[in-house]
Every structure is written in structure tokens, then in C-alpha cells.
Amino acid sequence: MILVTGGAGYIGSHTLISLHEAGYEFVVFDNLSNSSKESLNRVSEIIKKDIIFEEGDIRDSVSLERVFKKYTIDAVIHFAGLKAVGESVVNPLEYYDNNVNGTLVLLSVMQKYYCYQIVFSSSATVYNEIDSDDYKALEENDPIGNTTNPYGTSKFMIERILHDLHVSNNSFKIVILRYFNPVGAHISGTIGEDPNGIPNNLMPFIAQTAVEKREFISVFGGDYDTDDGTGVRDYIHIEDLALGHLKALDKISTIKDVLIVNLGTGKGYSVLDMIKAFEKASNKQIEYKIVERRAGDIAKCFANPSYAKDILGWSATKTIDDMCEDSWRWQMNNPEGYVK
Ligand code: UD1
């Protein structure tokens, strides 16, 4: 049985479908602080099976232990955590408590119950910034840790903790997945990204503008050292990302050292590329205004995905058009997201 912390969230819910399709049994553990139980109902409709759900917080060892006593947990996919950069600057203690302390509690309980396999959701945000002039695709052994906000630092700290844990107890099998920019939705259009309030991330903002929930997109900076002056990122379809977790699980029992893998496509698209692709998918005109740069943003960020291919036999297959069409289907069918 696989324990999926944060399984009701955006990446978690999509991964449940991949797990089911590959024949894995799972239990979802989520405190629903930034997700909705409705996502699990929708997943249940897609996979035509009830979902085992235990509501709880990873910081609460009593609830976690209850789960480890009730089920035989062979591995954990650990998604649970807070993820808004701006909010983390305002509430750093909350971020370190949820993300770092929560992971410490989870790891202690895992160790107590002899569960040694974990796949952890990390982020490309842990990589140090590279100057635009000599920009290259990011590789797993590039320098990390020069993070610029508590969210990013919490991911970096957890990576370090996982390494130290492995040194202390090499029964632990640990895969760290560094996500680039997950976008899109399940092809059914019934599950997708449902941010609270005004979206911080580009894709949900574009999608909400296309359904006229927002008037226009503020493009943060038009003078970056990129082809069209707007920021370039490695957008990856959520279904490709979900499959990366399966490949990690398939591999995990055989690994010796902590395995760190980028999950990206290796292709960079600018903000204007994304707006244009979304216009094509939605057949709507999307208004935008170029405004000041957002503090902490960089010009370019994209993955070298070759290690993922070599070690996991995984590579992304979906295109930018798939990403926009699927996001659009989700947004159109659920303009208010999950009704909570
Ligand atoms: C952001 C986080 C990153 C996190 C990731 C999770 C920051 C600085 N970084 O990455 O740590 O892991 O989300 O998904 O917040 N943009 C606009 N207008 C908008 C929103 C975004 O022009 O309204 C631009 C940004 O400047 C950037 C691109 O769109 O060039 C993507 O932005 P976003 O979706 O927020 O992702 P990241 O900044 O790459």
C-alpha cells in the first residue's frame, strides 16, 4: 500500500490516477487545508473505485501513527506542503512548520514503522540562479541552496534532511523529484488546479482570464534577456509529471544512494508563448499588459531531462497545446474550481 500525503491536491490527485492505472493500492492522507475532498470524489469517478482517505495533518504524529498501524505502508509519496512563494515570505514560520517540521514528523513515524521508501516533491526552485549570458539547462548536480524565499528554503532543507537520514540509516530508499512548472489537467476536464483567491502562477491566471474571471494578465517584465523579453519556463503537463512518480516508485527498491531527478520537458516557453498557445486552445482573445518584473523572478529556467530518461526511463510526451487544451477544458467546466 502506498501512502500519498497531500493526495487531494493538484499534483497528488493526478498521481492517484496513474497509481491506480499501474495497479498500486493507496491511501490518501491530507489535512484539506489547501485542497478539497471533492477532488477525491472526482478521481473516484474517473477510476471507478472508492478512495481510501484519512484526514489528518503530517505534523500530527498520532494521526499518522494511526494510519501506519491500520495499513501496511510500503512506500510514501510525500506531496503535502505549502507552496506559495509570496505567502512564505509573509509567514515563514508557518512554512517551516508545515513543510520542514511536517516532513520530520512523517520521517520519524516512517522509521518507527520500518517504512523506508519515500518519493519527495521538491522543486527546481532549489537551484542557484544562473546568469542569462551563460544560461544552460539545469542538471541534477548543479549547485543548489541559494534560495530566495522560505518556500524554496524549506524544499532545500528537506532535501538536506533526506540526505542526512540516508547516511544515518541506509535502509532508506529516497527519491527526490525536482519539478519544473506543472500545468494542465486530466484529460477528462474533471480535475485540475484550483488555487485559492487570485492565482500566483501563470497558467491558472491565464485560464481565469480566458473565462473572463480576470480582465487581463499582468506580464511580469518585458525586458528579460530572452527572445521576446518575457520570462521563460519549462512547463510540464501534470499527467507527465504524475507518470514520473510511478517510474520513481518502480525503481525505488533498487536504488543505493538518494536519487535526485528533474521532472521537466527540457523546452522553455515564454509568457507570451503561453498566452498565444492558450488563445489557440480556447479560441478566445486574452488581454495582457506588460508591467514591472516580479521580485525574485529570473529570466529563464528549464531542465536538462536526460537523467530522468536514463535512470527512470521517463520523459515528457505532452505538448504545450495539450497543456493549454486540458487546462482550458478544466477551467471551462469548473469556472469556480471545486465547489468547496
Ligand atoms: C513559481 C515559484 C516557484 C514554485 C513554482 C510552483 C516564484 C518566484 N517562483 O515559479 O518557486 O516552485 O511557482 O509552481 O513565485 N508570470 C506573469 N504573470 C503572472 C504570473 C506569472 O508574467 O500573473 C510569469 C512569471 O514572471 C514567470 C512565469 O510567468 O516568468 C511563470 O510564473 P509562475 O507560474 O509563477 O512560476 P515560477 O515563477 O516559475
Side-chain angles (χ1 to χ4, degrees):
M1 181 81 107
I2 311 294
L3 174 65
V4 184
T5 74
Y10 174 44
I11 305 176
S13 56
H14 288 81
T15 303
L16 299 181
I17 298 170
S18 302
L19 284 173
H20 169 77
E21 285 171 354
Y24 285 102
E25 300 279 324
F26 53 82
V27 48
V28 171
F29 188 81
D30 199 306
N31 67 2
L32 301 177
S33 69
N34 191 25
S35 60
S36 161
K37 224 179 141 186
E38 179 58 17
S39 69
L40 297 178
N41 297 335
R42 306 270 181 103
V43 171
S44 181
E45 279 165 24
I46 294 169
I47 68 175
K48 300 191 173 53
K49 193 177 173 220
D50 287 343
I51 287 176
I52 306 171
F53 173 57
E54 300 284 346
E55 186 169 344
D57 192 302
I58 50 169
R59 293 166 297 177
D60 173 7
S61 62
V62 176
S63 316
L64 266 179
E65 287 207 31
R66 208 178 299 129
V67 172
F68 277 81
K69 279 189 196 122
K70 193 163 161 190
Y71 310 93
T72 306
I73 306 294
D74 306 300
V76 177
I77 306 185
H78 177 31
F79 293 110
L82 299 178
K83 60 162 193 175
V85 172
E87 193 181 70
S88 80
V89 176
V90 178
N91 296 317
L93 300 182
E94 209 185 313
Y95 270 68
Y96 291 122
D97 186 32
N98 271 275
N99 295 5
V100 181
N101 183 34
T103 303
L104 287 175
V105 174
L106 172 66
L107 293 170
S108 311
V109 173
M110 285 177 66
Q111 185 154 249
K112 184 166 170 190
Y113 288 83
Y114 308 104
C115 172
Y116 293 127
Q117 305 193 64
I118 182 166
V119 178
F120 172 62
S121 301
S122 190
S123 165
T125 195
V126 299
Y127 287 113
N128 293 357
E129 187 176 345
I130 302 177
D131 284 344
S132 260
D133 291 346
D134 35 39
Y135 195 82
K136 61 169 200 66
L138 291 160
E139 290 171 25
E140 287 81 353
N141 53 9
D142 281 335
I144 62 168
N146 202 0
T147 47
T148 53
N149 56 75
Y151 159 73
T153 308
S154 75
K155 293 289 179 190
F156 170 67
M157 289 166 94
I158 297 166
E159 288 202 7
R160 290 297 296 265
I161 289 166
L162 290 169
H163 281 285
D164 291 344
L165 181 64
H166 181 261
V167 169
S168 78
N169 179 350
N170 61 19
S171 297
F172 266 98
K173 308 278 184 191
I174 298 169
V175 182
I176 293 172
L177 299 177
R178 293 190 183 140
Y179 309 151
F180 282 71
N181 290 57
V183 298
H186 185 258
I187 192 146
S188 64
T190 59
I191 61 168
E193 187 170 12
D194 181 20
N196 283 329
I198 301 171
N200 298 305
N201 296 115
L202 180 66
M203 271 299 261
F205 208 106
I206 294 181
Q208 292 192 4
T209 311
V211 284
E212 291 169 29
K213 222 175 141 179
R214 317 260 161 222
E215 225 181 304
F216 63 90
I217 298 163
S218 299
V219 175
F220 299 142
D223 57 352
Y224 282 109
D225 186 7
T226 61
D227 287 349
D228 65 18
T230 67
V232 166
R233 296 290 183 276
D234 185 337
Y235 297 93
I236 171 166
H237 195 291
I238 189 77
E239 290 195 43
D240 279 331
L241 194 79
L243 281 174
H245 294 78
L246 274 198
K247 296 291 185 180
L249 268 191
D250 293 344
K251 180 90 192 169
I252 200 165
S253 63
T254 66
I255 61 177
K256 297 269 176 296
D257 287 321
V258 175
L259 182 64
I260 302 175
V261 185
N262 284 341
L263 293 184
T265 65
K267 293 190 198 77
Y269 289 101
S270 74
V271 177
L272 297 184
D273 290 335
M274 295 308 283
I275 294 175
K276 274 185 221 128
F278 210 97
E279 283 185 326
K280 185 172 147 210
S282 62
N283 208 15
K284 300 262 179 193
Q285 195 180 333
I286 298 171
E287 301 299 326
Y288 67 86
K289 288 182 191 165
I290 298 193
V291 300
E292 289 294 287
R293 293 180 178 193
R294 177 171 69 180
D297 273 357
I298 52 178
K300 297 181 207 165
C301 177
F302 51 89
N304 179 333
S306 53
Y307 189 57
K309 187 160 192 196
D310 294 347
I311 195 90
L312 298 181
W314 170 93
S315 50
T317 59
K318 301 231 178 204
T319 64
I320 183 177
D321 291 332
D322 298 327
M323 299 176 205
C324 292
E325 281 162 22
D326 294 338
S327 273
W328 173 236
R329 192 176 304 109
W330 153 253
Q331 185 69 46
M332 222 180 2
N333 294 344
N334 305 273
E336 302 304 323
Y338 298 113
V339 181
K340 288 173 189 138

